[in-house]
Amino acid sequence: MRPLAPLLLAALLLGGCAGLGEREGGQAGSADGTGPMTFATGRDTTAYLQPLIDKWNRAHPKEPVTLLELPEAADEQRAQMVANLQARSDRYDVLGLDVVLTAEFADAGWIVPLDGGLFKLDRFLPPVVDTATYNGKLYAVPYTSNAGLLYYRKDILDRERLKPPKTWAELRDQATRLGKKYKLDGYAGQFLPYEGLTVNFAEAVQSAGGQILSPDGTRVTMDLGTATTGLNFLVNGLREGWIPQEALTYKEEESRLAFQEGKLLFARNWPHAYGPATRSALAGKFAVTRLPGLHGPGSSSLGGNNLAISAYSKHQKSALEFIRYFTGLENERSVLTDGSFPPVWSELYDDPALIKRYPYLPVLKESIMSARPRPASSNYDQVSLAMSSAVSDALDFRKPSDETVAALKQELGEIIRTP
């Protein structure tokens, strides 16, 4: 998962892109096939993808790419992709995968291994490269990254001569006192029972010093005491009122709007929420910092999107070249400037001109570098569902935190032992 030595691209291409399209039990798709392709990915909410695809199509008229936009929600994207791949359909060539799907899709044989020497992985942020590997092999190429940030009302904290909170205790104190003083709700994240709640819970456990599964996703390593402490951070916030009950209905968009409309003092969200806030009435009144933790800055869940090649694609050679183009430095700059997504090339976070335009880049880089990927489990969908369902019961006060964590640990053990 560390940088790989560059290989001679021409020799590899003449050799038919060895390694592409091979699965246990035989060949699927065509490793040396060229021709028209489809790029299946989540809905492009900022309309930046098509111009980049148009540029490729003008330069490669015999290998045009058609954009297939899937639903915005990651779980719905997965469902459509899985249905296509289980049917061994060649409709999808390039897949835009949530980073948590690499292990599942690689384990199922739905995507092909790639040669890391064809990509400048040594110039990518190291944690994002880790999300693209499974069992020591590269199965995808990082395209966008993501890490959670704490959005806060800088104008109010400046007025009170306070620095943004680094610990949960500081967050609780400021959310309680200043929320009451300024008639604002204190804090919210994404607490509706879906993947977002899984992320928020994982971040709470990590920020208390723990973890849920081993990095390879084969063992439950969750310490009951640490996980209970993390869950209680959320449960107690709801019980004490500095997390509003309405937050139990929030996904990313609802929490973004609540903060942007001036209802919240603090909000956990992804970097995509920054741009819209700068164009709202909140412009100049907010800032971002790292998520707080039990004893200091916390740890985010690592998000983002990776590009992979379908094992059933008939045009895998063209798909490989398209991914090399799409993850190049200049396109990665457009990911940030036109798409408002965090890029994967490390040097873009240190570019003075970009930092001037996007002041949050240094904090975001710190957050990504200290973030942890969600468990690399081939049963991740079941893991996530179990986590969000259990945590939702605790947030609704239907089950005590310690009982919730104990039952969840047992359930996770049963899931990861499932073949």
Side-chain angles (χ1 to χ4, degrees):
M1 260 315 310
R2 291 294 174 253
L4 302 173
L7 301 178
L8 291 175
L9 175 60
L12 283 167
L13 294 179
L14 288 173
C17 300
L20 285 181
E22 296 181 1
R23 305 178 62 214
E24 291 185 11
Q27 180 99 357
S30 178
D32 59 356
T34 62
M37 295 166 282
T38 57
F39 174 25
T41 190
R43 186 166 67 89
D44 179 15
T45 58
T46 54
Y48 84 103
L49 284 175
Q50 193 59 55
L52 297 181
I53 292 173
D54 290 342
K55 182 179 178 182
W56 164 274
N57 289 346
R58 286 193 295 270
H60 301 83
K62 294 182 179 180
E63 303 169 283
V65 171
T66 299
L67 176 64
L68 294 180
E69 293 189 71
L70 304 180
E72 188 173 351
D75 53 352
E76 295 179 28
Q77 294 170 27
R78 175 192 171 277
Q80 290 197 20
M81 289 183 184
V82 167
N84 176 278
L85 295 166
Q86 285 179 334
R88 296 175 175 258
S89 168
D90 63 358
R91 185 181 182 217
Y92 298 162
D93 295 286
V94 177
L95 304 172
L97 301 179
D98 187 293
V99 293
V100 302
L101 298 179
T102 302
E104 177 189 0
F105 280 45
D107 187 71
W110 293 333
I111 55 178
V112 299
L114 306 175
D115 193 323
L118 297 176
F119 305 92
K120 298 184 183 297
L121 300 180
D122 59 325
R123 293 168 69 179
F124 287 17
L125 295 167
V128 307
V129 182
D130 291 338
T131 70
T133 63
Y134 180 66
N135 284 344
K137 293 183 179 181
L138 186 75
Y139 276 91
V141 183
Y143 177 59
T144 64
S145 188
N146 233 347
L149 298 170
L150 181 71
Y151 289 71
Y152 67 94
R153 287 292 298 272
K154 187 176 185 300
D155 58 336
I156 292 177
L157 266 61
D158 286 349
R159 195 177 308 155
E160 298 290 330
R161 298 183 180 180
L162 292 171
K163 294 182 178 179
K166 293 183 178 180
T167 67
W168 288 341
E170 292 172 350
L171 175 64
R172 175 183 181 274
D173 176 66
Q174 293 182 14
T176 302
R177 290 191 302 106
L178 303 184
K180 183 177 181 180
K181 181 175 180 178
Y182 291 91
K183 296 181 172 56
L184 296 174
D185 287 327
Y187 172 79
Q190 294 74 49
F191 302 142
L192 188 75
Y194 77 115
E195 173 66 13
L197 182 55
T198 297
V199 167
N200 278 250
F201 173 64
E203 290 174 343
V205 174
Q206 293 163 195
S207 297
Q211 61 178 183
I212 297 170
L213 300 186
S214 60
D216 62 4
T218 62
R219 292 178 295 110
V220 180
T221 55
M222 186 167 62
D223 173 75
L224 296 180
T226 304
T228 299
T229 297
L231 181 54
N232 274 335
F233 159 63
L234 302 175
V235 171
N236 291 340
L238 286 156
R239 182 173 286 118
E240 295 166 3
W242 52 271
I243 297 179
Q245 287 292 315
E246 186 179 0
L248 295 177
T249 68
Y250 285 176
K251 294 196 289 187
E252 282 85 356
E253 187 67 3
E254 290 82 1
S255 53
R256 179 186 73 81
L257 289 173
F259 182 78
Q260 186 176 308
E261 293 170 358
K263 298 176 181 178
L264 288 167
L265 185 62
F266 299 102
R268 180 261 176 228
N269 216 326
W270 303 103
H272 80 278
Y274 192 95
T278 63
R279 300 186 291 272
S280 73
L282 211 61
K285 299 179 181 180
F286 77 99
V288 296
T289 189
R290 288 179 58 183
L291 297 175
L294 180 60
H295 299 300
S299 171
S300 169
S301 289
L302 191 62
N305 217 249
N306 297 332
L307 301 185
I309 299 174
S310 167
Y312 308 108
S313 168
K314 303 301 183 185
H315 303 137
Q316 293 178 17
K317 185 176 179 180
S318 293
L320 178 66
E321 283 301 290
F322 176 72
I323 291 177
R324 291 184 70 245
Y325 157 78
F326 225 57
T327 58
L329 179 59
E330 287 312 305
N331 280 344
E332 283 291 309
R333 189 181 299 272
S334 295
V335 163
L336 174 64
T337 59
D338 300 331
S340 299
F341 293 103
V344 298
W345 285 66
S346 180
E347 60 204 72
L348 295 176
Y349 291 83
D350 305 319
D351 185 315
L354 290 176
I355 292 174
K356 183 177 181 180
R357 184 173 173 183
Y358 306 98
Y360 63 86
L361 284 179
V363 170
L364 177 56
K365 185 177 182 180
E366 286 183 17
S367 296
I368 292 174
M369 294 300 290
S370 63
R372 296 185 191 175
R374 281 160 280 174
S377 171
S378 58
N379 293 327
Y380 182 78
D381 59 319
Q382 296 179 53
V383 168
S384 178
L385 181 61
M387 289 169 60
S388 62
S389 178
V391 173
S392 180
D393 284 345
L395 298 187
D396 282 332
F397 311 132
R398 291 193 292 267
K399 184 181 289 188
S401 294
D402 55 350
E403 292 182 18
T404 296
V405 168
L408 176 60
K409 184 172 185 177
Q410 180 177 349
E411 184 176 4
L412 292 177
E414 294 170 355
I415 290 171
I416 65 173
R417 283 194 293 269
T418 301

